Amino acid sequence: MPRHQNTAAQRARQAQRETGGKYTAELCKTQAGSRPGPFTLGYLLTACGTAPDWTGENPVVDPEWAPEMFDFAPLGGPVPYSAVLLLLGLLAPASRSTELELESRNGFHSLIVACDGRRFEMVLTQDDYVTEHCRVPGCELSPVSAHSIPYCASRHLAERSEDELVEMAAEWGNAQHEEFSVRSPAAVPLGEEGDHLIAAAVAQCAFFPVQAALIEAAYERPDMVDVVHFGE
């Protein structure tokens, strides 16, 4: 048995031999009800730089395609070095004491890790694949904008409160202000992100405060509402 293989993986491999079941399914069973607790960003960084290579057999991809991995118990087992480094980059400039936690792990396919409300999927079958998800636990969709509109457009954005939508509208508008301020407002439509915010505001009966925050932040001129919306 590979000497760096984690305890959960060992139990899953033993169960596979005894029952004839699939390894990944048995791994999920062994991890059920025993999700690791929070860990710090510094701990993950240290492990990524010092842990030896995981030498087990990847049950999902062929050895020639399998990413280089190290065993990290707080994330439920082996993880790719490159994916962890990419995650660290996405979390910058968070401090070493920032806490992360494993939300879920699907064997050797992928896992979801959460940090300060943000949720990231790490794909375990290849290098350099980390993507941010909607902030609602369990949602597998991408946010409208990871930095200022961190909820999916199809459902969860429209469930936010009026105050939250106003705050997101102001933040997203401020992020676009430099681009918008140098051109005619009529020539710079609010785009898909703005449309999603307005649609969510309508769903919450909060159209007027949200559109006012959005336009004022983007243009610093509330009177531009009529210009941008062509009087509609």
Side-chain angles (χ1 to χ4, degrees):
M1 183 174 294
R3 59 191 178 91
H4 299 311
Q5 198 164 343
N6 72 311
T7 303
Q10 292 172 1
R11 294 198 303 269
R13 189 68 71 187
Q14 179 65 29
Q16 181 193 30
R17 286 195 293 266
E18 294 174 355
T19 66
K22 290 185 177 181
Y23 175 77
T24 52
E26 296 297 340
L27 182 61
C28 288
K29 290 179 183 179
T30 62
Q31 293 169 341
S34 59
R35 190 173 70 187
F39 57 94
T40 65
L41 191 62
Y43 182 35
L44 176 60
L45 178 61
T46 299
C48 186
T50 61
D53 291 347
W54 181 75
T55 58
E57 179 183 350
N58 193 308
V60 179
V61 293
D62 293 333
E64 61 179 312
W65 303 111
E68 294 184 356
M69 308 174 85
F70 68 98
D71 195 15
F72 190 67
L75 287 179
V79 290
Y81 290 100
S82 56
V84 169
L85 291 174
L86 183 55
L87 174 66
L88 293 170
L90 293 174
L91 289 173
S95 70
R96 292 178 60 90
S97 61
T98 298
E99 287 196 339
L100 298 86
E101 187 170 12
L102 177 67
E103 177 181 305
S104 62
R105 177 166 178 139
N106 179 18
F108 276 78
H109 293 278
S110 64
L111 62 82
I112 301 292
V113 63
C115 177
D116 291 335
R118 300 173 70 185
R119 302 170 60 247
F120 300 89
E121 179 184 18
M122 300 173 63
V123 173
L124 307 178
T125 57
Q126 63 189 76
D127 293 316
D128 299 326
Y129 197 104
V130 179
T131 183
E132 188 158 357
H133 282 338
C134 171
R135 291 200 177 187
V136 176
C139 183
E140 298 181 352
L141 300 177
S142 299
V144 174
S145 168
H147 297 289
S148 52
I149 314 174
Y151 297 93
C152 64
S154 63
R155 177 183 175 187
H156 294 120
L157 181 60
E159 295 178 352
R160 312 325 298 170
S161 68
E162 176 182 317
D163 289 344
E164 288 177 289
L165 291 172
V166 167
E167 182 178 353
M168 285 186 276
E171 186 172 351
W172 186 80
N174 281 324
Q176 313 309 312
H177 174 67
E178 183 175 353
E179 176 187 354
F180 285 13
S181 63
V182 298
R183 299 171 60 185
S184 166
V188 188
L190 290 176
E192 185 175 309
E193 293 89 347
D195 290 343
H196 287 315
L197 280 169
I198 294 301
V202 171
Q204 286 290 339
C205 299
F207 170 75
F208 291 105
V210 172
Q211 63 92 24
L214 185 60
I215 299 301
E216 185 169 3
Y219 300 106
E220 291 187 351
R221 287 181 57 187
D223 61 304
M224 286 293 99
V225 171
D226 288 338
V227 176
V228 174
H229 289 288
F230 302 102
E232 296 181 7

